[in-house]
Amino acid sequence: MKGIVTEIERFSLRDGPGIRTTVFLKGCNMRCKWCHNPETLQVAPQLLHYPEKCLGCGACLAACPNGALSAGEHGVQIDREKCRGCGTCADQCFSGALVLSGKEMDTEEVMAEILQDLPYYRNSGGGVTLSGGEATCQPDFALELLRACRRQGIPTALETNLLAPWAVYEKLLPELDLLMFDVKVYDEEKHKRWTGVSNRAILENARRAAESLPYLVRTPVIPGVNDTAEEIGAIAGFVHSLGGDLQYYELLRFNPLGEGKYTALDMANDFAGVRPGPEADTEPLAQAAREAGLAQVRIG
């Protein structure tokens, strides 16, 4: 089976316990206005353009089979309607001005990467984490990868927004040792405004999943969206009500590092110029989570 992989990150220390390999699958079923990985939103491969790196050699113009590239006043121009994300132009661009996000890989190719670090997983208590984008946008590929890992005795984790139909999670959860999910906003209307979708299915899936396996919950702290003690307290109160084997609750400070990707994809960025406040400003939010009943609260 084949899927579209954005990146395979080895020696990851942020996506679960121990030393891990994180496999980022392309595609997402949300449209969070603050997304710091906009290149993962579509399942199909996409071309990123960094004109400041262009050497003006013209190799990409000759390589494109779809006539999507042209020479303009300010360098290479991309016709996004014509671009098919084949990556032929990026293969000819040695300066990094054109970069293809997303590569078709089969399970064996991904596992070949994963198995290189098998001793590290065993010695550190680590394993493999599927992330995105949103890994459940490629549910069959995700399931096949998880099962392949289990056959090798590799512990598995899934990072998810919990928006997929419960039938998807029913298949995935038995193949997991840890579930990692976000609760971004508690109020439904506010959640729709900032992510494009209702959170009803997310909250219901959270209740079901908490009964099934160890889990941890994260909330990205977004300036002007959910960065108040009231909002974090409401989310934490919900998380506390889930019960089960909660490992910890984590507040993730706003990440502005994806700003350049929006420009490279010719996408609008609603959070352009927004920066996280001082780390000390997050501590009152963590305290609000503790007062809502959560004993283990981290700031990331």
Side-chain angles (χ1 to χ4, degrees), residues 14-15 32 42 53 68 70 89 96 116 174-175 213 225 232 235 260 276 278:
R14 294 285 302 163
D15 298 315
C32 302
Q42 294 184 22
K53 297 182 180 181
S70 60
C89 60
Q116 292 182 52
E175 310 299 334
L213 77 168
V225 176
I232 298 302
I235 294 172

Side-chain angles (χ1 to χ4, degrees), residues 3-181:
I4 306 297
V5 177
T6 307
E7 181 184 2
I8 299 176
E9 181 180 325
R10 297 168 62 188
F11 293 92
S12 171
L13 300 175
R14 294 285 302 163
D15 298 315
I19 296 172
R20 310 190 72 81
T21 293
T22 303
V23 181
F24 295 88
L25 302 186
K26 214 165 180 302
C28 189
N29 48 10
M30 279 189 183
R31 290 297 181 265
C32 302
K33 293 183 181 296
W34 60 82
C35 179
H36 65 273
N37 288 317
E39 78 283 9
T40 67
L41 295 178
Q42 294 184 22
V43 174
Q46 291 172 277
L47 191 65
L48 289 86
H49 181 209
Y50 299 96
E52 68 277 7
K53 297 182 180 181
C54 182
L55 301 178
C57 68
C60 60
L61 302 177
C64 179
N66 301 306
L69 303 183
S70 60
E73 182 180 352
H74 302 289
V76 172
Q77 304 294 310
I78 303 174
D79 186 332
R80 296 286 178 181
E81 294 296 321
K82 293 182 179 179
C83 180
R84 296 294 176 263
C86 67
T88 305
C89 60
D91 290 341
Q92 299 299 317
C93 183
F94 302 107
S95 68
L98 294 172
V99 177
L100 188 68
S101 173
K103 177 183 179 182
E104 186 177 76
M105 301 181 72
D106 60 32
T107 305
E108 290 72 23
E109 289 175 297
V110 177
M111 289 304 298
E113 293 271 351
I114 288 171
L115 290 172
Q116 292 182 52
D117 295 326
L118 192 58
Y120 294 104
Y121 312 145
R122 291 173 175 167
N123 293 332
S124 71
V128 169
T129 300
L130 298 190
S131 188
E134 172 53 47
T136 61
C137 286
Q138 300 185 56
D140 295 335
F141 187 54
L143 181 61
E144 187 165 285
L145 286 175
L146 291 173
R147 286 176 172 170
C149 288
R150 303 284 270 196
R151 287 194 293 270
Q152 296 291 337
I154 301 173
T156 55
L158 173 68
E159 289 185 325
T160 177
N161 58 25
L162 279 183
L163 183 61
W166 179 248
V168 171
Y169 294 106
E170 280 188 310
K171 294 179 180 179
L172 297 178
L173 292 182
E175 310 299 334
L176 295 171
D177 297 288
L178 176 67
L179 183 68
M180 310 162 70
F181 62 87

